[in-house]
Amino acid sequence: SDAAKAKSEVLTLVTDPSKGNVEDNIRLVIVFCLATTAPGSDVTEVASAMAEALESKGSSVGNSGGAHGLLSKEDRSKLEKGLKAIEYLKNLRSLQMIPNITESEEYSTKSSANSDMLSSFMTRATNQATGLLAKATEKVSSMIGKISKHRATRVVESLCEMKPNSEDDEYLYLDPKVRGDVDVQVLRNMSRAPYREIITFVIGGGCYAEYQNLQMIANDRRIVTYGSTEIVSPCDFLSQLGKLS
């Protein structure tokens, strides 16, 4: 089946010491966990195979001395945290607290189509000795971005285009050019000029995928700037996931 094929290809990659480093392999297993309908037992099997291969063969790409047959102390620490992160996400998925990518897409058709996309991505990633994470993230993000707009993107678009019966009716509207006490509802109904420069700031954690998705509504007449309280790097994100477990 397609799911079995995806599992087989992921196993081939994560057990090959010539492909990627410890964090690359961990992130690939996370993609497998979130982007397929594979049961938790399959995720556990893939994660265990990855850990065994890394412990016995070492990492092919390491910034801290990792080499064939040797896993550095730093890489071993990353592996332990990564396994905790995988276990945490697997448990959340089993409790249906996070949706599977194939189930959350508004315009998705069949899970087999998503598995084919993942398998196609695996084939291309196999030809890359390094940068496995970048390929995985790019592929998954592009699948999400091309199919639907994220919540933040839909909200900003509704506000910019002043769509009726949308968030534009609920969000506070302020005009710095208006002086004195003015009824907000009256101000909202007044003729408003098109927005040309938009600053979207998220109170809390932000991510690169959300920023990239917001660019879907940017054009020659509209510039969208994105910010958040915190944007963590991929490595820091893995570390945080491990601590949550």
mmCIF file of all heavy atoms in Angstrom, residues 150-178:
data_model
loop_
_atom_site.group_PDB
_atom_site.id
_atom_site.type_symbol
_atom_site.label_atom_id
_atom_site.label_comp_id
_atom_site.label_asym_id
_atom_site.label_seq_id
_atom_site.Cartn_x
_atom_site.Cartn_y
_atom_site.Cartn_z
ATOM 1 N N HIS A 150 -3.963 29.795 5.857
ATOM 2 C CA HIS A 150 -4.002 29.611 7.296
ATOM 3 C C HIS A 150 -4.963 30.602 7.935
ATOM 4 O O HIS A 150 -5.403 31.567 7.309
ATOM 5 C CB HIS A 150 -2.605 29.792 7.889
ATOM 6 C CG HIS A 150 -1.629 28.750 7.423
ATOM 7 N ND1 HIS A 150 -0.317 28.723 7.829
ATOM 8 C CD2 HIS A 150 -1.769 27.692 6.579
ATOM 9 C CE1 HIS A 150 0.311 27.704 7.270
ATOM 10 N NE2 HIS A 150 -0.553 27.071 6.501
ATOM 11 N N ARG A 151 -5.259 30.357 9.205
ATOM 12 C CA ARG A 151 -6.190 31.221 9.937
ATOM 13 C C ARG A 151 -5.736 32.677 9.911
ATOM 14 O O ARG A 151 -6.537 33.573 9.611
ATOM 15 C CB ARG A 151 -6.287 30.718 11.383
ATOM 16 C CG ARG A 151 -6.943 31.665 12.371
ATOM 17 C CD ARG A 151 -8.402 31.860 12.106
ATOM 18 N NE ARG A 151 -9.007 32.735 13.114
ATOM 19 C CZ ARG A 151 -10.237 33.213 13.044
ATOM 20 N NH1 ARG A 151 -11.011 32.895 12.013
ATOM 21 N NH2 ARG A 151 -10.708 33.999 13.982
ATOM 22 N N ALA A 152 -4.485 32.936 10.215
ATOM 23 C CA ALA A 152 -3.986 34.315 10.231
ATOM 24 C C ALA A 152 -4.117 34.967 8.862
ATOM 25 O O ALA A 152 -4.471 36.145 8.752
ATOM 26 C CB ALA A 152 -2.524 34.343 10.692
ATOM 27 N N THR A 153 -3.852 34.208 7.804
ATOM 28 C CA THR A 153 -3.949 34.745 6.451
ATOM 29 C C THR A 153 -5.384 35.111 6.107
ATOM 30 O O THR A 153 -5.648 36.161 5.518
ATOM 31 C CB THR A 153 -3.423 33.718 5.434
ATOM 32 O OG1 THR A 153 -2.080 33.359 5.786
ATOM 33 C CG2 THR A 153 -3.432 34.283 4.017
ATOM 34 N N ARG A 154 -6.330 34.252 6.481
ATOM 35 C CA ARG A 154 -7.744 34.539 6.199
ATOM 36 C C ARG A 154 -8.220 35.772 6.953
ATOM 37 O O ARG A 154 -8.980 36.589 6.418
ATOM 38 C CB ARG A 154 -8.601 33.331 6.566
ATOM 39 C CG ARG A 154 -8.343 32.095 5.708
ATOM 40 C CD ARG A 154 -9.470 31.086 5.850
ATOM 41 N NE ARG A 154 -9.630 30.625 7.221
ATOM 42 C CZ ARG A 154 -9.000 29.571 7.736
ATOM 43 N NH1 ARG A 154 -8.161 28.877 6.981
ATOM 44 N NH2 ARG A 154 -9.217 29.203 8.982
ATOM 45 N N VAL A 155 -7.767 35.920 8.196
ATOM 46 C CA VAL A 155 -8.173 37.086 8.994
ATOM 47 C C VAL A 155 -7.638 38.367 8.377
ATOM 48 O O VAL A 155 -8.370 39.349 8.190
ATOM 49 C CB VAL A 155 -7.675 36.946 10.449
ATOM 50 C CG1 VAL A 155 -7.868 38.261 11.205
ATOM 51 C CG2 VAL A 155 -8.415 35.818 11.156
ATOM 52 N N VAL A 156 -6.344 38.374 8.052
ATOM 53 C CA VAL A 156 -5.734 39.579 7.476
ATOM 54 C C VAL A 156 -6.388 39.926 6.146
ATOM 55 O O VAL A 156 -6.657 41.097 5.853
ATOM 56 C CB VAL A 156 -4.215 39.373 7.300
ATOM 57 C CG1 VAL A 156 -3.602 40.549 6.540
ATOM 58 C CG2 VAL A 156 -3.536 39.210 8.652
ATOM 59 N N GLU A 157 -6.676 38.928 5.336
ATOM 60 C CA GLU A 157 -7.323 39.176 4.044
ATOM 61 C C GLU A 157 -8.705 39.781 4.225
ATOM 62 O O GLU A 157 -9.081 40.723 3.512
ATOM 63 C CB GLU A 157 -7.423 37.868 3.263
ATOM 64 C CG GLU A 157 -7.996 38.041 1.868
ATOM 65 C CD GLU A 157 -8.039 36.738 1.098
ATOM 66 O OE1 GLU A 157 -8.357 35.693 1.718
ATOM 67 O OE2 GLU A 157 -7.753 36.747 -0.114
ATOM 68 N N SER A 158 -9.470 39.285 5.196
ATOM 69 C CA SER A 158 -10.807 39.822 5.458
ATOM 70 C C SER A 158 -10.740 41.270 5.907
ATOM 71 O O SER A 158 -11.553 42.108 5.504
ATOM 72 C CB SER A 158 -11.517 38.971 6.524
ATOM 73 O OG SER A 158 -11.743 37.660 6.063
ATOM 74 N N LEU A 159 -9.753 41.585 6.749
ATOM 75 C CA LEU A 159 -9.594 42.959 7.230
ATOM 76 C C LEU A 159 -9.174 43.894 6.100
ATOM 77 O O LEU A 159 -9.672 45.021 5.993
ATOM 78 C CB LEU A 159 -8.565 43.002 8.360
ATOM 79 C CG LEU A 159 -8.928 42.250 9.646
ATOM 80 C CD1 LEU A 159 -7.769 42.306 10.637
ATOM 81 C CD2 LEU A 159 -10.186 42.831 10.280
ATOM 82 N N CYS A 160 -8.251 43.436 5.271
ATOM 83 C CA CYS A 160 -7.750 44.281 4.186
ATOM 84 C C CYS A 160 -8.827 44.553 3.136
ATOM 85 O O CYS A 160 -8.908 45.653 2.581
ATOM 86 C CB CYS A 160 -6.542 43.629 3.520
ATOM 87 S SG CYS A 160 -5.063 43.571 4.557
ATOM 88 N N GLU A 161 -9.633 43.551 2.854
ATOM 89 C CA GLU A 161 -10.656 43.694 1.811
ATOM 90 C C GLU A 161 -12.001 44.098 2.381
ATOM 91 O O GLU A 161 -12.984 44.193 1.637
ATOM 92 C CB GLU A 161 -10.768 42.378 1.043
ATOM 93 C CG GLU A 161 -9.471 42.003 0.335
ATOM 94 C CD GLU A 161 -9.581 40.714 -0.464
ATOM 95 O OE1 GLU A 161 -10.690 40.130 -0.484
ATOM 96 O OE2 GLU A 161 -8.571 40.303 -1.061
ATOM 97 N N MET A 162 -12.043 44.318 3.718
ATOM 98 C CA MET A 162 -13.258 44.796 4.392
ATOM 99 C C MET A 162 -14.467 43.931 4.051
ATOM 100 O O MET A 162 -15.543 44.422 3.704
ATOM 101 C CB MET A 162 -13.521 46.252 4.018
ATOM 102 C CG MET A 162 -12.329 47.158 4.218
ATOM 103 S SD MET A 162 -12.538 48.783 3.479
ATOM 104 C CE MET A 162 -10.853 49.304 3.243
ATOM 105 N N LYS A 163 -14.276 42.626 4.131
ATOM 106 C CA LYS A 163 -15.345 41.702 3.787
ATOM 107 C C LYS A 163 -16.443 41.741 4.851
ATOM 108 O O LYS A 163 -16.159 41.675 6.047
ATOM 109 C CB LYS A 163 -14.790 40.284 3.672
ATOM 110 C CG LYS A 163 -13.823 40.087 2.530
ATOM 111 C CD LYS A 163 -13.342 38.651 2.461
ATOM 112 C CE LYS A 163 -12.402 38.426 1.279
ATOM 113 N NZ LYS A 163 -11.914 37.015 1.224
ATOM 114 N N PRO A 164 -17.711 41.860 4.435
ATOM 115 C CA PRO A 164 -18.821 41.850 5.409
ATOM 116 C C PRO A 164 -18.991 40.471 6.031
ATOM 117 O O PRO A 164 -18.609 39.455 5.444
ATOM 118 C CB PRO A 164 -20.029 42.235 4.552
ATOM 119 C CG PRO A 164 -19.662 41.800 3.166
ATOM 120 C CD PRO A 164 -18.183 42.014 3.053
ATOM 121 N N ASN A 165 -19.556 40.459 7.241
ATOM 122 C CA ASN A 165 -19.807 39.211 7.968
ATOM 123 C C ASN A 165 -18.524 38.392 8.151
ATOM 124 O O ASN A 165 -18.513 37.168 8.023
ATOM 125 C CB ASN A 165 -20.854 38.359 7.241
ATOM 126 C CG ASN A 165 -22.166 39.093 7.049
ATOM 127 O OD1 ASN A 165 -22.647 39.766 7.966
ATOM 128 N ND2 ASN A 165 -22.754 38.981 5.864
ATOM 129 N N SER A 166 -17.456 39.083 8.431
ATOM 130 C CA SER A 166 -16.175 38.421 8.675
ATOM 131 C C SER A 166 -15.520 39.046 9.908
ATOM 132 O O SER A 166 -16.173 39.769 10.666
ATOM 133 C CB SER A 166 -15.252 38.571 7.455
ATOM 134 O OG SER A 166 -14.846 39.920 7.306
ATOM 135 N N GLU A 167 -14.242 38.760 10.094
ATOM 136 C CA GLU A 167 -13.533 39.346 11.236
ATOM 137 C C GLU A 167 -13.509 40.861 11.186
ATOM 138 O O GLU A 167 -13.299 41.512 12.210
ATOM 139 C CB GLU A 167 -12.094 38.810 11.274
ATOM 140 C CG GLU A 167 -11.958 37.345 11.658
ATOM 141 C CD GLU A 167 -12.204 36.422 10.485
ATOM 142 O OE1 GLU A 167 -12.419 36.921 9.360
ATOM 143 O OE2 GLU A 167 -12.194 35.195 10.689
ATOM 144 N N ASP A 168 -13.745 41.435 10.021
ATOM 145 C CA ASP A 168 -13.749 42.889 9.887
ATOM 146 C C ASP A 168 -14.850 43.515 10.733
ATOM 147 O O ASP A 168 -14.770 44.677 11.116
ATOM 148 C CB ASP A 168 -13.925 43.279 8.420
ATOM 149 C CG ASP A 168 -13.769 44.777 8.194
ATOM 150 O OD1 ASP A 168 -12.728 45.317 8.632
ATOM 151 O OD2 ASP A 168 -14.672 45.390 7.615
ATOM 152 N N ASP A 169 -15.892 42.757 11.031
ATOM 153 C CA ASP A 169 -16.996 43.273 11.848
ATOM 154 C C ASP A 169 -16.694 43.194 13.340
ATOM 155 O O ASP A 169 -17.386 43.808 14.148
ATOM 156 C CB ASP A 169 -18.284 42.483 11.562
ATOM 157 C CG ASP A 169 -18.745 42.632 10.126
ATOM 158 O OD1 ASP A 169 -18.432 43.675 9.509
ATOM 159 O OD2 ASP A 169 -19.407 41.708 9.612
ATOM 160 N N GLU A 170 -15.670 42.438 13.711
ATOM 161 C CA GLU A 170 -15.384 42.194 15.121
ATOM 162 C C GLU A 170 -14.121 42.881 15.622
ATOM 163 O O GLU A 170 -14.037 43.251 16.788
ATOM 164 C CB GLU A 170 -15.253 40.681 15.359
ATOM 165 C CG GLU A 170 -16.487 39.883 14.929
ATOM 166 C CD GLU A 170 -16.249 38.387 15.009
ATOM 167 O OE1 GLU A 170 -15.128 37.990 15.418
ATOM 168 O OE2 GLU A 170 -17.162 37.620 14.652
ATOM 169 N N TYR A 171 -13.131 43.047 14.758
ATOM 170 C CA TYR A 171 -11.870 43.618 15.195
ATOM 171 C C TYR A 171 -12.006 45.126 15.418
ATOM 172 O O TYR A 171 -12.755 45.812 14.730
ATOM 173 C CB TYR A 171 -10.774 43.346 14.159
ATOM 174 C CG TYR A 171 -10.130 41.987 14.304
ATOM 175 C CD1 TYR A 171 -10.911 40.828 14.237
ATOM 176 C CD2 TYR A 171 -8.762 41.842 14.515
ATOM 177 C CE1 TYR A 171 -10.335 39.570 14.358
ATOM 178 C CE2 TYR A 171 -8.190 40.584 14.638
ATOM 179 C CZ TYR A 171 -8.980 39.460 14.565
ATOM 180 O OH TYR A 171 -8.419 38.222 14.697
ATOM 181 N N LEU A 172 -11.259 45.604 16.400
ATOM 182 C CA LEU A 172 -11.274 47.035 16.708
ATOM 183 C C LEU A 172 -10.617 47.819 15.588
ATOM 184 O O LEU A 172 -9.533 47.467 15.123
ATOM 185 C CB LEU A 172 -10.532 47.289 18.026
ATOM 186 C CG LEU A 172 -10.459 48.746 18.492
ATOM 187 C CD1 LEU A 172 -11.857 49.294 18.752
ATOM 188 C CD2 LEU A 172 -9.599 48.844 19.751
ATOM 189 N N TYR A 173 -11.278 48.874 15.150
ATOM 190 C CA TYR A 173 -10.745 49.705 14.072
ATOM 191 C C TYR A 173 -10.464 51.097 14.621
ATOM 192 O O TYR A 173 -11.334 51.750 15.189
ATOM 193 C CB TYR A 173 -11.744 49.802 12.914
ATOM 194 C CG TYR A 173 -11.294 50.709 11.798
ATOM 195 C CD1 TYR A 173 -10.316 50.301 10.892
ATOM 196 C CD2 TYR A 173 -11.824 51.988 11.655
ATOM 197 C CE1 TYR A 173 -9.880 51.129 9.883
ATOM 198 C CE2 TYR A 173 -11.397 52.830 10.642
ATOM 199 C CZ TYR A 173 -10.433 52.398 9.759
ATOM 200 O OH TYR A 173 -10.006 53.232 8.760
ATOM 201 N N LEU A 174 -9.233 51.549 14.457
ATOM 202 C CA LEU A 174 -8.821 52.868 14.930
ATOM 203 C C LEU A 174 -8.189 53.634 13.782
ATOM 204 O O LEU A 174 -7.433 53.074 12.994
ATOM 205 C CB LEU A 174 -7.818 52.748 16.086
ATOM 206 C CG LEU A 174 -8.295 51.982 17.327
ATOM 207 C CD1 LEU A 174 -7.150 51.819 18.320
ATOM 208 C CD2 LEU A 174 -9.473 52.701 17.973
ATOM 209 N N ASP A 175 -8.506 54.925 13.714
ATOM 210 C CA ASP A 175 -7.944 55.790 12.684
ATOM 211 C C ASP A 175 -7.198 56.930 13.364
ATOM 212 O O ASP A 175 -7.819 57.788 14.005
ATOM 213 C CB ASP A 175 -9.054 56.343 11.784
ATOM 214 C CG ASP A 175 -8.495 57.055 10.551
ATOM 215 O OD1 ASP A 175 -7.313 57.449 10.593
ATOM 216 O OD2 ASP A 175 -9.236 57.209 9.572
ATOM 217 N N PRO A 176 -5.873 56.976 13.257
ATOM 218 C CA PRO A 176 -5.096 58.023 13.943
ATOM 219 C C PRO A 176 -5.392 59.425 13.428
ATOM 220 O O PRO A 176 -5.059 60.410 14.093
ATOM 221 C CB PRO A 176 -3.642 57.609 13.666
ATOM 222 C CG PRO A 176 -3.706 56.803 12.417
ATOM 223 C CD PRO A 176 -5.011 56.069 12.472
ATOM 224 N N LYS A 177 -6.006 59.521 12.252
ATOM 225 C CA LYS A 177 -6.305 60.847 11.697
ATOM 226 C C LYS A 177 -7.572 61.459 12.276
ATOM 227 O O LYS A 177 -7.830 62.643 12.109
ATOM 228 C CB LYS A 177 -6.435 60.733 10.177
ATOM 229 C CG LYS A 177 -5.142 60.334 9.469
ATOM 230 C CD LYS A 177 -5.333 60.212 7.988
ATOM 231 C CE LYS A 177 -6.231 59.044 7.632
ATOM 232 N NZ LYS A 177 -6.332 58.842 6.165
ATOM 233 N N VAL A 178 -8.365 60.649 12.962
ATOM 234 C CA VAL A 178 -9.620 61.133 13.541
ATOM 235 C C VAL A 178 -9.357 61.555 14.979
ATOM 236 O O VAL A 178 -8.813 60.790 15.780
ATOM 237 C CB VAL A 178 -10.705 60.041 13.496
ATOM 238 C CG1 VAL A 178 -11.971 60.533 14.189
ATOM 239 C CG2 VAL A 178 -10.992 59.644 12.057
#
